[in-house]
Amino acid sequence: MTSYGFHASHEQIGPRALLEAVMHAERAGFDAAMCSDHFSPWSARQGESGFAWSWLGSALQATGMPFGVVNAPGQRYHPAIIAQAIGTLGAMYPGRFWAALGTGEASNEHITGDPWPRKDVRAARLRECVDVIRALLAGEEVSHDGLVRVDRARLWTRPEQPPALVGAAVSVATARWCAEWADGLITVNAPVAHLREMIDAYRDAGGRGPLHLQVHVSWAPEQAQAEAIAHDQWRSNVFAPPVCWDLETVEHFDVVSADVPAQRVAEVVNVSADLGRHVGWLEEYAQLGFDQIALHHVGQEQRGFIDAFGAEVLPKLRPGG
């Protein structure tokens, strides 16, 4: 049975308000939660970017839900530090935490001052990071000299069961590659045919574990309001790779998205005031076999969305609904 989670967007909402939102989501009937991990937002209009790892400890303590985070080790984060963070949360909250690992975006990683590598180099670097993180979580002492360097690292605080390391992908090729190392797969909403192809590529290559989907939605009581929210908050997020990977600053995103029309935003966000349409979209995703679907309302005000979906959408998606 598919579980339905709440996506906590640090780029759009301050950490205190986001903690209140995730607590409210649990009370409203959401099963789980996940969050982003960015150094900067995608637009000045979004205006936030709290530190995910500080926030996750509070969120796990304040709720009983399982949580995940999408992280890019290798440049902004040394993999040994990420292993320590994963290990500590896993030890504190057994069975409730997972981390998705991806190759990242320049908008977050350029801050180190190091060059932003080509995609193939980033993929090779991530693969090294995965091996380092797994070995550390297994209790090994790790030294490694490659695209990342590690010297005699050992985790002294570890969970009994290492948290799942999930592969983050948006392309069929990356989904197939994730099958080599991941404990599950996460992607974002896309045309159903593309999602089916990604799932098939992952499973056919031997990919194991749960399938996660993050779904961008925009809801408001009136259609025009739902459209305005999506256009204001998410028009900087309509660009396919490699553009979204390689732009470096908020100003870059705001310039290139200045003339993006509302209909273009509706291609990447499920925009509707009709809660029944949202039920239909989510049912279609669930039928593909996703084990967990995290709903990301792209507006900055979350309470109305949480209340409406908790009362009118989630019950219809569950057995007997």
Side-chain angles (χ1 to χ4, degrees):
M1 185 177 68
T2 304
S3 68
Y4 294 90
F6 174 82
H7 177 74
S9 178
H10 284 287
E11 309 94 283
Q12 297 178 273
I13 304 164
R16 184 184 295 274
L18 202 55
L19 182 61
E20 293 171 356
V22 79
M23 293 166 62
H24 187 57
E26 182 179 42
R27 292 192 296 267
F30 285 78
D31 303 310
M34 62 172 288
C35 75
S36 53
D37 179 7
H38 286 243
F39 194 82
S40 66
W42 301 97
S43 166
R45 294 181 305 279
Q46 294 176 348
E48 294 284 348
S49 209
F51 186 54
W53 295 93
S54 300
W55 183 86
L56 278 163
S58 293
L60 282 156
Q61 181 65 30
T63 71
M65 296 190 292
F67 272 78
V69 65
V70 183
N71 175 261
Q75 185 158 331
R76 180 169 47 121
Y77 291 115
H78 192 279
I81 300 302
I82 292 303
Q84 187 182 31
I86 291 171
T88 297
L89 289 177
M92 293 179 71
Y93 305 101
R96 289 181 54 204
F97 179 68
W98 53 270
L101 304 178
T103 56
E105 300 102 2
S107 60
N108 301 305
E109 311 305 322
H110 78 90
I111 62 163
T112 65
D114 294 328
W116 178 235
R118 300 186 311 273
K119 173 61 174 174
D120 61 317
V121 177
R122 301 199 303 273
R125 181 173 67 182
L126 174 60
R127 190 69 177 82
E128 291 183 17
C129 289
V130 169
D131 291 343
V132 167
I133 292 168
R134 281 204 190 282
L136 288 169
L137 290 171
E140 300 175 23
E141 180 179 283
V142 177
S143 293
H144 177 82
D145 293 291
L147 294 169
V148 293
R149 299 182 65 192
V150 186
D151 179 42
R152 293 166 293 177
R154 176 182 171 188
L155 289 186
W156 293 88
T157 296
R158 296 182 295 113
E160 290 186 13
Q161 182 66 35
L165 302 182
V166 175
V170 294
S171 73
V172 172
T174 302
R176 185 178 297 111
W177 173 74
C178 286
E180 299 175 7
W181 58 266
D183 299 321
L185 183 72
I186 187 169
T187 189
V188 297
N189 60 283
V192 166
H194 178 73
L195 293 175
R196 185 179 292 113
E197 192 176 357
M198 287 186 67
I199 292 170
D200 289 346
Y202 181 71
R203 293 302 193 203
D204 291 348
R208 63 186 184 272
L211 301 172
H212 296 260
L213 179 68
Q214 181 187 348
V215 177
H216 303 304
V217 307
S218 183
W219 174 84
E222 301 295 332
Q223 182 66 22
Q225 185 183 4
E227 293 172 357
I229 288 170
H231 189 249
D232 176 71
Q233 283 294 294
W234 216 245
R235 68 176 180 266
S236 297
N237 296 69
V238 302
F239 304 105
V243 174
C244 59
W245 293 337
D246 293 343
L247 294 181
E248 292 184 341
T249 68
V250 167
E251 291 78 13
H252 292 165
F253 279 98
D254 280 338
V255 168
V256 300
S257 64
D259 298 321
V260 169
Q263 59 266 33
R264 177 71 182 92
V265 181
E267 295 174 10
V268 299
V269 180
N270 291 340
V271 183
S272 183
D274 182 351
L275 291 170
R277 287 199 71 192
H278 288 284
V279 171
W281 282 322
L282 293 168
E283 285 178 334
E284 198 168 19
Y285 297 137
Q287 288 166 6
L288 292 172
F290 285 102
D291 298 282
Q292 185 177 114
I293 297 176
L295 306 182
H296 171 212
H297 173 52
V298 300
Q300 292 178 302
E301 296 298 327
Q302 296 290 311
R303 181 168 287 271
F305 154 74
I306 291 169
D307 288 340
F309 275 61
E312 303 293 338
V313 174
L314 299 186
K316 292 181 173 63
L317 296 168
R318 292 176 174 137

